[in-house]
Amino acid sequence: MKLRLNYLLNRNLKSHSEMVFEGISRGRKKALENWFRDKWVQLETTMNTIKSLDEDSREINLELEDKLKYYNDFSELLVINEAGKVIISTCQKHIGDDMSIFPNFEEGISGNHLMYGPYNDEKTLDLNLSSKKFFDEVTLLFSIPYRNENNERRILCTRVLNDDMSNVIQDEDTHIYKDSGDNYLFMIKSDRDILPGTAISRSRFEDNTFTMGENLKDGVKTSKWGVVKINKHTEFEVIFNDPATGKLHPGIQKTMENEENLDCWPGYPDYRHIMVGGKGTIIRPPYSNEVWGMMCEGDIAEIYNFRSVNLRIPLVTSIITALFLIVSRVITAKVGNLGIVSDIATWIIITLATYFISKKVIVKPLNTTVSILHMIAEGEGDLTKRVEKLSSDEIGELSRWFNKFINNQMNMVKRVGTSAKTTKQSIKAVSELTENIKNSMKVIAGTVESLLLNTNNQNELIQNNKAQFNNISTSIKEMDELINQVTEKAIKTSKYAVEANGSSEEVLNSMEELDRIMERTLKSIGLLQKRSNEISQVISVISSISKQTQLLSLNATIEAARAGEAGKGFSIVAQEISKLASETEESTASISEIVRNIQLETKNTSEAIVQINSSVKKSVISTKEAIKSFELISNNITEVTRTMESISKITNNQSIAVNQVDIEINKMAEVIRKNTLQGASSSEESLGLVEDILRQIIQLKQVSEVMVYSSDNLEEIVGGFKIV
């Protein structure tokens, strides 16, 4: 009867209450979505930081411990290997634990993210949770798969207290109805053995933190159905059934059927069989295969417990006036009519009553609100200040919504603070990575310059050897002409034996000249062999540099991948350097093959010329003997003629071979010259790109330093607000 009377007196509150619960539900759902998004971003940031670190060193542990300090909701960070074993953890006690029984392991091996829970995890109680206001073993497990630097599958996980998630929807200032308001989550759909309608978040009335009345740990009495009580925690122990029917209470049931429900009058009986009203909605957590429901409720009795100032002040004033009139009548009846004195007294009493009522009901609550607003406006920054609700009227409503406004500002500042810390940490990592890339670019620039220098030296050496081959070819041609002259003179000597003495002397001079040319040719061939050996050594050095350049290019590509967007330009430079090194190695192989052929032909030529030189010396001896012994001239001349013919054939063959080698050397020298020019151009272009990237990296570092400065300022501003 009292509920109906309150409703009749405040019927206009129905639409207002519906707006209130719509706002609470929308705000809590948005806050929960933001919370989930923040956790995934924080976990992905952590994964991107550690995936390229050496697992055998302390780097990953230090990074995880650092992240644990930054991300307050993370209770533990751990890494699981392909066998499901914990290999790295911020809790040393958990290293070696078998996590293969968790769905996160199966999903992680398949390459999927997963948020598993809430579930009971005794391992959570091993952690240092002393800084948490609420905590128990009910846990959420987030996981992200990745591959380490050895391309091995890893799964990064974090344990998060379910109470930390409950804090998001149970923020005290969101409870407009302080005495009975409660926001809670319940299960709708799950492949686990959890019944629909089961609580999966902490109730505001789990203990006596927010109320001095009944709570679930001490037991909540119902009118006819005993006591509702929990042993450890709300989660999994409370199923939101109406005790009168044994079925899910109508607010839960309608939310499950319609995906939302709004009922602020007449309301529905809850698990205590007390009439409540509120808004129910659906929650689908990201990377989870479960569907949850969220209820934002308050008792109907409190929702319509409202007495307007328009009613209270006239009512109290009229009661005081009526009492005074009664007293005045009694005094008049006993003493007589007091006339104007009675009227003045009536005016004074009504004025004072109105003054004190207005001061208590209106002025005092408004002054309190204005005082707190003044402190915040003047820069005190204490966002924990709240206005106490002193009445159930418009002034009480003002304090209620003022508190909610301050709470929204506090939550915004908290998020700004968290973002500032995350941004600062990210900038620090970018700055370190930028410095590493800068150093690597300097090393590669030096390598490119060295490669260019060696290529130029190679080209110069080839060009020098080209000149030596041209000299050898000219010497062989001169020797061939001289042999022809010797042959002609030998024939003439045979024909004109009478003039043997004079002709023999000319032959002897020609032979001696041929011997001197042979010696010069042998010296040239020896020099050519020496140059060929030097080419082989240079080719070996260039080949080694090419391989080292390939390795540096590979390392540079890896560094570029770690740099992300900042390393894309550098990745192109690394590819061009790798291509140049490959082309250099191919040219080196070709040159090496040609040099081997040259060395072989040179060896053959040297041996042939040695034979020729030996024959010439024999001919010289024979010619000298012919001068002394003319009777043997004819036979010796015949022998010389045959020897000259053999020499002529050999020199012709060697001349053809040397000409061919000369042609090939000239072709290769031209190719090397072009490659050298092209390599020089590409190297200069690459060096230009490297210098450009270095300049951009310096600019990026400067920007990062500015952002660090801005983040420090933002953090300092946020630090000026008291939010805890």
Side-chain angles (χ1 to χ4, degrees):
M1 183 66 183
K2 183 180 179 181
L3 289 178
R4 185 168 293 276
L5 178 61
N6 284 341
Y7 173 69
L8 291 175
L9 289 174
N10 301 288
R11 287 190 300 272
N12 61 317
L13 288 181
K14 182 175 184 295
S15 59
H16 172 72
S17 300
E18 288 175 347
M19 291 175 60
V20 168
F21 280 114
E22 284 280 9
I24 294 173
S25 178
R26 183 170 55 252
R28 293 305 87 202
K29 184 174 182 179
K30 182 66 175 177
L32 194 59
E33 290 172 348
N34 288 338
W35 184 82
F36 276 121
R37 183 170 60 252
D38 289 345
K39 298 314 110 184
W40 284 114
V41 169
Q42 291 166 3
L43 194 59
E44 286 178 358
T45 300
T46 304
M47 179 268 292
N48 289 329
T49 302
I50 69 170
K51 68 179 182 180
S52 58
L53 298 179
D54 185 4
E55 292 179 354
D56 296 331
S57 69
R58 282 277 301 162
E59 287 183 286
I60 292 184
N61 289 75
L62 293 175
E63 281 291 341
L64 294 184
E65 290 171 2
D66 192 45
K67 290 293 190 294
L68 207 62
K69 295 176 184 177
Y70 271 96
Y71 304 141
N72 297 327
D73 287 338
F74 288 177
S75 301
E76 178 188 11
L77 284 162
L78 53 118
V79 177
I80 304 173
N81 65 10
E82 293 177 334
K85 299 292 184 181
V86 177
I87 57 174
I88 301 171
S89 175
T90 52
C91 177
Q92 293 297 312
K93 187 177 180 180
H94 292 170
I95 293 178
D97 285 355
D98 185 4
M99 300 287 287
S100 61
I101 60 175
F102 285 86
N104 301 75
F105 173 70
E106 182 179 350
E107 290 294 321
I109 292 299
S110 299
N112 300 321
H113 295 37
L114 182 66
M115 191 281 290
Y116 175 67
Y119 69 99
N120 289 324
D121 191 345
E122 296 295 333
K123 294 285 186 180
T124 300
L125 300 180
D126 295 336
L127 309 174
N128 181 13
L129 304 173
S130 57
S131 62
K132 302 291 185 180
K133 185 175 183 180
F134 303 102
F135 67 88
D136 51 42
E137 68 271 26
V138 185
T139 305
L140 298 169
L141 188 64
F142 293 75
S143 61
I144 291 182
Y146 71 95
R147 291 189 178 276
N148 65 10
E149 59 178 1
N150 297 323
N151 201 35
E152 297 169 329
R153 176 72 72 184
R154 295 288 184 264
I155 304 169
L156 175 65
C157 301
T158 182
R159 282 187 169 97
V160 177
L161 294 179
N162 194 60
D163 282 336
D164 283 340
M165 181 185 69
S166 298
N167 290 339
V168 176
I169 62 171
Q170 289 290 17
D171 193 332
E172 188 61 20
D173 288 316
T174 64
H175 295 292
I176 303 302
Y177 306 103
K178 293 291 186 181
D179 294 334
S180 63
D182 197 11
N183 304 329
Y184 57 87
L185 298 171
F186 62 93
M187 185 63 72
I188 293 180
K189 181 182 177 182
S190 173
D191 55 6
R192 296 185 283 161
D193 188 20
I194 302 177
L195 295 175
T198 301
I200 55 174
S201 69
R202 188 189 72 252
S203 170
R204 180 167 173 255
F205 302 107
E206 181 173 292
D207 53 27
N208 61 1
T209 300
F210 299 113
T211 178
M212 300 306 296
E214 294 182 323
N215 61 75
L216 289 168
K217 285 193 173 179
D218 295 333
V220 177
K221 297 178 182 178
T222 63
S223 57
K224 299 179 182 179
W225 299 276
V227 177
V228 180
K229 189 175 182 180
I230 60 173
N231 294 320
K232 290 185 176 181
H233 36 69
T234 309
E235 297 96 319
F236 314 125
E237 293 189 36
V238 175
I239 299 179
F240 296 104
N241 291 328
D242 179 359
T245 62
K247 298 179 180 179
L248 293 175
H249 74 60
I252 295 280
Q253 188 63 47
K254 290 180 181 178
T255 300
M256 292 172 59
E257 293 172 355
N258 304 323
E259 296 197 353
E260 65 175 2
N261 181 64
L262 179 62
D263 186 354
C264 293
W265 181 263
Y268 46 84
D270 67 354
Y271 66 99
R272 304 163 297 166
H273 200 69
I274 292 175
M275 298 301 291
V276 299
K279 174 68 184 287
T281 189
I282 296 295
I283 301 290
R284 291 183 172 86
Y287 301 111
S288 172
N289 54 7
E290 296 181 342
V291 179
W292 300 348
M294 181 176 69
M295 299 299 298
C296 302
E297 295 178 334
D299 290 357
I300 291 292
E302 185 178 9
I303 293 174
Y304 292 98
N305 181 25
F306 183 83
R307 298 292 181 270
S308 174
V309 173
N310 289 335
L311 179 62
R312 290 180 66 193
I313 292 179
L315 181 62
V316 174
T317 303
S318 64
I319 291 173
I320 292 174
T321 303
L323 290 174
F324 181 77
L325 289 175
I326 293 173
V327 172
S328 179
R329 289 291 183 183
V330 172
I331 292 174
T332 301
K334 291 183 177 183
V335 180
N337 188 6
L338 298 178
I340 191 170
V341 174
S342 175
D343 293 339
I344 292 173
T346 300
W347 173 73
I348 292 173
I349 290 174
I350 292 175
T351 301
L352 290 175
T354 303
Y355 170 77
F356 285 112
I357 292 170
S358 299
K359 183 177 180 180
K360 180 178 177 60
V361 175
I362 299 176
V363 177
K364 183 179 179 180
L366 285 178
N367 283 339
T368 303
T369 303
V370 170
S371 176
I372 294 175
L373 185 59
H374 176 75
M375 286 190 295
I376 295 174
E378 289 297 322
E380 290 294 328
D382 188 354
L383 298 180
T384 63
K385 295 288 186 181
R386 296 294 183 271
V387 180
E388 183 181 358
K389 182 184 176 184
L390 300 175
S391 59
S392 298
D393 53 23
E394 286 84 354
I395 305 301
E397 284 291 294
L398 175 62
S399 63
R400 173 186 294 170
W401 292 106
F402 176 78
N403 290 341
K404 192 171 190 306
F405 168 75
I406 296 299
N407 178 72
N408 289 339
Q409 303 310 304
M410 184 177 71
N411 288 334
M412 181 184 68
V413 172
K414 283 182 178 179
R415 285 182 59 81
V416 170
T418 301
S419 299
K421 287 182 179 179
T422 303
T423 302
K424 185 176 179 180
Q425 190 180 35
S426 299
I427 292 171
K428 179 182 177 183
V430 169
S431 180
E432 291 175 353
L433 185 59
T434 300
E435 188 66 25
N436 292 337
I437 293 175
K438 180 181 176 181
N439 294 333
S440 298
M441 292 295 290
K442 288 181 178 178
V443 173
I444 291 174
T447 303
V448 171
E449 289 176 353
S450 177
L451 178 62
L452 181 60
L453 179 62
N454 281 283
T455 303
N456 288 332
N457 291 337
Q458 175 194 11
N459 180 53
E460 183 179 353
L461 186 59
I462 292 295
Q463 296 298 332
N464 291 336
N465 280 276
K466 174 187 173 184
Q468 292 294 332
F469 272 101
N470 289 335
N471 292 336
I472 291 172
S473 178
T474 301
S475 298
I476 291 175
K477 288 179 179 178
E478 291 175 357
M479 183 176 64
D480 188 49
E481 291 177 356
L482 187 57
I483 288 171
N484 289 332
Q485 292 176 8
V486 171
T487 302
E488 291 176 359
K489 290 184 181 296
I491 292 171
K492 289 180 179 180
T493 300
S494 178
K495 185 176 181 180
Y496 303 103
V498 179
E499 301 174 356
N501 189 25
S503 297
S504 294
E505 288 178 354
E506 290 179 4
V507 169
L508 180 60
N509 292 334
S510 297
M511 286 292 184
E512 289 175 347
E513 181 64 19
L514 176 61
D515 183 62
R516 287 192 294 272
I517 292 173
M518 287 290 187
E519 289 177 355
R520 288 200 302 271
T521 303
L522 286 172
K523 288 181 180 179
S524 298
I525 290 174
L527 182 61
L528 175 61
Q529 288 176 335
K530 183 179 178 181
R531 294 292 185 181
S532 298
N533 292 331
E534 290 176 357
I535 293 172
S536 297
Q537 292 175 358
V538 172
I539 288 171
S540 177
V541 172
I542 294 173
S543 178
S544 177
I545 292 174
S546 297
K547 291 178 180 178
Q548 292 177 1
T549 304
Q550 289 279 18
L551 182 59
L552 282 173
S553 175
L554 178 60
N555 291 334
T557 303
I558 294 173
E559 287 292 332
R562 290 179 60 190
E565 290 295 327
K568 281 187 176 180
F570 173 65
S571 177
I572 296 173
V573 175
Q575 291 173 5
E576 289 297 325
I577 293 172
S578 177
K579 182 178 177 182
L580 175 60
S582 298
E583 292 176 353
T584 301
E585 190 163 357
E586 291 175 0
S587 298
T588 302
S590 299
I591 295 168
S592 180
E593 182 64 26
I594 291 172
V595 168
R596 282 196 295 271
N597 292 334
I598 291 170
Q599 290 174 341
L600 180 61
E601 292 296 332
T602 302
K603 182 180 179 182
N604 294 335
T605 302
S606 178
E607 291 175 354
I609 291 175
V610 168
Q611 293 176 0
I612 293 169
N613 193 34
S614 177
S615 298
V616 169
K617 288 183 183 295
K618 290 178 181 180
S619 298
V620 170
I621 294 171
S622 298
T623 303
K624 287 181 179 180
E625 292 177 351
I627 295 173
K628 297 177 181 180
S629 203
F630 283 102
E631 62 274 9
L632 299 175
I633 288 176
S634 180
N635 295 330
N636 287 334
I637 291 299
T638 301
E639 183 179 352
V640 168
T641 302
R642 288 195 298 268
T643 301
M644 288 301 105
E645 289 177 352
S646 299
I647 291 172
S648 180
K649 290 179 181 178
I650 292 172
T651 54
N652 285 334
N653 291 336
Q654 295 304 317
S655 178
I656 293 172
V658 170
N659 286 336
Q660 185 64 34
V661 170
D662 186 43
I663 291 171
E664 294 296 329
I665 283 291
N666 288 333
K667 288 182 179 179
M668 184 52 60
E670 183 64 22
V671 169
I672 290 175
R673 187 186 66 80
K674 291 181 179 179
N675 286 340
T676 301
L677 292 175
Q678 183 178 0
S681 176
S682 299
S683 298
E684 290 172 358
E685 182 179 356
S686 298
L687 287 172
L689 288 173
V690 169
E691 291 173 356
D692 187 55
I693 290 174
L694 285 173
R695 286 193 297 271
Q696 293 178 7
I697 288 173
I698 292 171
Q699 293 174 357
L700 177 61
K701 188 174 182 181
Q702 292 172 347
V703 172
S704 298
E705 291 172 353
V706 172
M707 291 181 69
V708 169
Y709 175 77
S710 300
S711 297
D712 288 340
N713 284 342
L714 182 60
E715 195 172 14
E716 183 180 350
I717 292 171
V718 172
F721 290 93
K722 184 179 179 182
I723 57 178
V724 178

